[in-house]
Amino acid sequence: MNAGPAPHWSRPAAGREPAAAALLSWLGDPHAPNLAVLTGSAGSGKSKLLAWLIGHGTRPGTVAERRVHGFVPLPGQSATTAAWMLGDQLSIAARSPGELVAALAADPRRTVIALPELHGAEQPGPLVELVLGMASLEHVRVLVEVRSGTPWAQALTAGACARMDLDEPRWTDEARRAAWYADHPDGPDDPDGPDGPDGPDDRTAPEQEQEQEQAAPFDLDDPASVCAADPWSVTTAYERSAEGHGGLRAAWLRAGAALTREQPAADRALVLLAALGDAADPRLPGVLEAVARDADWSVVWHRVRGDVTPPWPGPVRSLATGTGPLAGRLVVADHQGTVRVLDADGARSAGRLPHSVPGTRAVAEHGDGAVSVLDEHGLLHTGRAADAAGPKGLAALLDDGPSARERLLEAVQEYVRRLPEPVTALTGAGDRVVLGDAAGTVHVVAAGAAPRTAPLHTGRVTAVAGTALPVSAAGDTVLLLYTGGADGTVRAWAPHTGPLPEPVAARDCAVNAVAVTTAAAGLVLAIAWADGLVEQRALDDDRLRTFRPGGQAHALAFTADGDLVVGTDEAIVRLRGR
């Protein structure tokens, strides 16, 4: 299908054609500085010109070199809230300005960001640091508006940048300016307009009344109050406050952009409850549970950074549900490669693997207490938790050879050594092991049988999960796999047949994790996306539940009774659908 024509660009207001042409030239010049600073005195037309560029640059079909990917009007914003807004627009789960810059650095795609009115921000200084951090990336362009003569204008223009001062005559075509005012006799003398760059307030009376209600005073010590208030105002108030507010402040700032999204108070209370530390006022969980009673989920338990009873197990990078000797347990790998075993009923420690595996990407549990760990180089390591050791005593004496599981793991190790591409994803599937590689191929390995493979993704496979699907009343099952990729798709494949031609799900961001289970209600799939969204899909009837923990969810697992466990860098939480 041929793309339609590129959208037409109108002329800018008040004779600003020379300035507009210069901005478009900066966008299209690969050798131009990554930072452009639009300055001028109050009323010089900066906001109106930037609004023209953003309005056209964000339209569907805009050519790549003129595309604006993210913008945040900065009046009243802090560096943190600006990072949250940009993260939402760019499909990045960033809880801080540093995380936003790091995520942008890891994504080589060209990104253009516009930031109007930095001089009106809550704290311009940290925003200057954010702007300079983003502009230091080779593939990121930042256009920022700031009033001339301010310290922030001086800081932004101290280094390499493209600077445009709208007070200079060269940026205005006087003939066109006169013609524009002749055609707009009722237009404002100030090209920025009395109502800002977006023009007059055209909201309906009910919409204005609702915003006034949201902007009403709220109590930072009252969970119900902050969950019902304007979330941006609450965020700003918590940032300004030096008090802990019973633990609400830490929980709110930990959950980040998940709380500032447009959503009912019940959903906001659920997110806040999942982020609440165990040092918080003991009355708060009950209040939050009451406010969250209409949410799709309930929180069974949660552990967040800093918890001590029981202790938080650390950042979660991979999860697996235990079976066999590890039934009722969770296998959890952290950012340093320590693999712990937790009680699934309360996240209490139940052992660990004797050796850590730095750079852990995934863990797989094999049903006999053995756990495989995949590292960042694509190598597999196998160990056992202390309370899931192999046979002892008489059983050990009678054991005269490798078990079926040991033969399987030996076959997998040998297969991995022969693969041309490094392994990037792993899961156990009964008497088989499922692998994904950097080229997008998924492999199913069984001892004594030929491996089955299928190219399912463009680029790296990021996650694999499998379940035994009943196919007859006699108890016969087939293995059903769900795989996620860096290409932003989730695909289904039963290795005895070909993969489904269309993805089960697709979005414009990578898949971090998948989990699948066969519950009483049918087949249930969970997906963690790189922008922080967690979805649970009941595939038999298309029911959908969503959850945003605030940062990226790196790992998912279903418990034996169908609850969903979500692991992030800040928390691990067990959710139950209502």
Side-chain angles (χ1 to χ4, degrees):
M1 181 182 295
N2 294 327
H8 172 72
W9 285 59
S10 64
R11 291 185 179 276
R16 290 299 189 185
E17 283 83 355
L23 288 178
L24 295 179
S25 177
W26 169 74
L27 283 173
D29 182 358
H31 304 295
N34 283 357
L35 174 62
V37 183
L38 181 61
T39 67
S41 58
S44 60
K46 304 182 297 300
S47 296
K48 183 66 73 175
L49 178 63
L50 195 50
W52 170 85
L53 182 71
I54 293 170
H56 288 288
T58 55
R59 290 185 301 177
T62 299
V63 295
E65 70 174 19
R66 293 185 175 185
R67 181 75 178 162
V68 176
H69 301 90
F71 68 95
V72 175
L74 294 178
Q77 302 300 331
S78 66
T80 299
T81 57
W84 293 354
M85 289 182 176
L86 285 173
D88 184 43
Q89 295 173 32
L90 301 174
S91 296
I92 294 172
R95 293 177 296 111
S96 67
E99 285 191 7
L100 177 65
V101 173
L104 287 170
D107 185 344
R109 293 177 296 179
R110 171 184 166 96
T111 303
V112 177
I113 294 168
L115 300 172
E117 298 185 88
L118 183 138
H119 48 272
E122 176 75 17
Q123 296 174 327
L127 273 162
V128 169
E129 295 179 13
L130 173 59
V131 168
L132 295 177
M134 293 189 296
S136 69
L137 304 175
E138 183 179 355
H139 55 283
V140 177
R141 294 254 170 134
V142 184
L143 172 59
V144 59
E145 174 203 347
V146 62
R147 189 170 295 164
S148 297
T150 61
W152 313 294
Q154 296 171 5
L156 289 167
T157 57
C161 70
R163 180 174 179 270
M164 177 185 294
D165 186 345
L166 288 189
D167 290 330
E168 297 177 3
R170 59 177 173 150
W171 301 120
T172 306
D173 183 322
E174 289 300 336
R176 291 196 179 276
R177 177 186 177 92
W180 188 87
Y181 276 107
D183 291 338
H184 301 79
D186 298 325
D189 293 333
D190 175 3
D192 279 345
D195 298 296
D198 294 324
D201 188 348
D202 59 358
R203 296 168 300 162
T204 64
E207 289 172 336
Q208 295 184 46
E209 183 178 343
Q210 181 181 13
E211 181 166 321
Q212 289 170 0
E213 290 176 356
Q214 289 182 326
F218 45 84
D219 183 354
L220 293 178
D221 295 315
D222 180 0
S225 176
V226 295
C227 289
D230 170 51
W232 296 107
S233 300
V234 173
T235 301
T236 301
Y238 275 136
E239 285 196 300
R240 291 172 177 171
S241 177
E243 300 179 18
H245 301 284
L248 284 175
R249 180 182 186 276
W252 187 281
L253 297 179
R254 176 182 289 119
L259 291 166
T260 52
R261 301 178 68 85
E262 196 69 34
Q263 60 191 311
D267 293 342
R268 196 167 284 128
L270 177 82
V271 175
L272 194 55
L273 175 60
L276 196 66
D278 67 358
D281 185 326
R283 296 170 295 182
L284 294 179
V287 177
L288 285 168
E289 287 170 0
V291 178
R293 62 183 178 274
D294 292 328
D296 286 342
W297 304 93
S298 62
V299 175
V300 179
W301 52 253
H302 65 289
R303 303 287 175 260
V304 304
R305 184 184 293 271
D307 280 1
V308 294
T309 53
W312 173 61
V316 179
R317 293 303 166 88
S318 184
L319 279 169
T321 303
T323 57
L326 294 179
R329 309 287 174 83
L330 296 169
V331 181
V332 184
D334 70 13
H335 65 305
Q336 295 178 328
T338 300
V339 181
R340 295 178 172 84
V341 178
L342 305 181
D343 172 18
D345 288 333
R348 290 173 176 81
S349 177
R352 60 189 291 175
L353 265 62
H355 303 290
S356 63
V357 180
T360 294
R361 268 191 170 163
V363 293
E365 190 273 344
H366 299 293
D368 63 347
V371 175
S372 291
V373 184
L374 174 68
D375 70 20
E376 60 189 349
H377 304 294
L379 301 178
L380 291 177
H381 310 258
T382 301
R384 288 179 179 272
D387 63 346
K392 299 178 181 179
L394 182 61
L397 290 174
L398 297 176
D399 185 8
D400 59 354
S403 66
R405 195 71 59 189
E406 289 169 336
R407 291 194 296 272
L408 168 63
L409 296 181
E410 288 174 2
V412 172
Q413 289 279 15
E414 179 61 28
Y415 184 76
V416 168
R417 283 192 284 269
R418 299 198 307 267
L419 284 178
E421 297 287 343
V423 175
T424 56
L426 165 74
T427 194
D431 59 353
R432 286 165 281 189
V433 172
V434 184
L435 310 168
D437 69 25
T441 301
V442 177
H443 311 254
V444 180
V445 185
R452 298 190 65 88
T453 65
L456 298 182
H457 296 276
T458 302
R460 181 167 65 94
V461 180
T462 57
V464 291
T467 188
L469 185 67
V471 293
S472 74
D476 298 321
T477 63
V478 298
L479 176 62
L480 180 60
L481 299 178
Y482 286 89
T483 66
D487 58 3
T489 64
V490 176
R491 293 187 175 273
W493 176 39
H496 68 285
T497 64
L500 293 179
E502 297 298 325
V504 175
R507 296 181 69 233
D508 189 24
C509 63
V511 178
N512 277 358
V514 293
V516 63
T517 188
T518 305
L523 201 59
V524 181
L525 172 69
I527 309 166
W529 302 91
D531 65 348
L533 174 65
V534 175
E535 295 181 314
Q536 179 175 292
R537 302 179 177 213
L539 298 177
D540 292 343
D541 59 12
D542 295 328
R543 283 177 298 153
L544 175 67
R545 290 188 179 96
T546 62
F547 175 69
R548 287 183 180 268
Q552 289 193 51
H554 298 292
L556 300 172
F558 282 108
T559 64
D561 47 4
D563 290 349
L564 179 63
V565 181
V566 180
T568 75
D569 283 341
E570 293 288 317
I572 180 170
V573 55
R574 177 171 172 173
L575 300 171
R576 179 170 297 157
R578 293 188 186 275

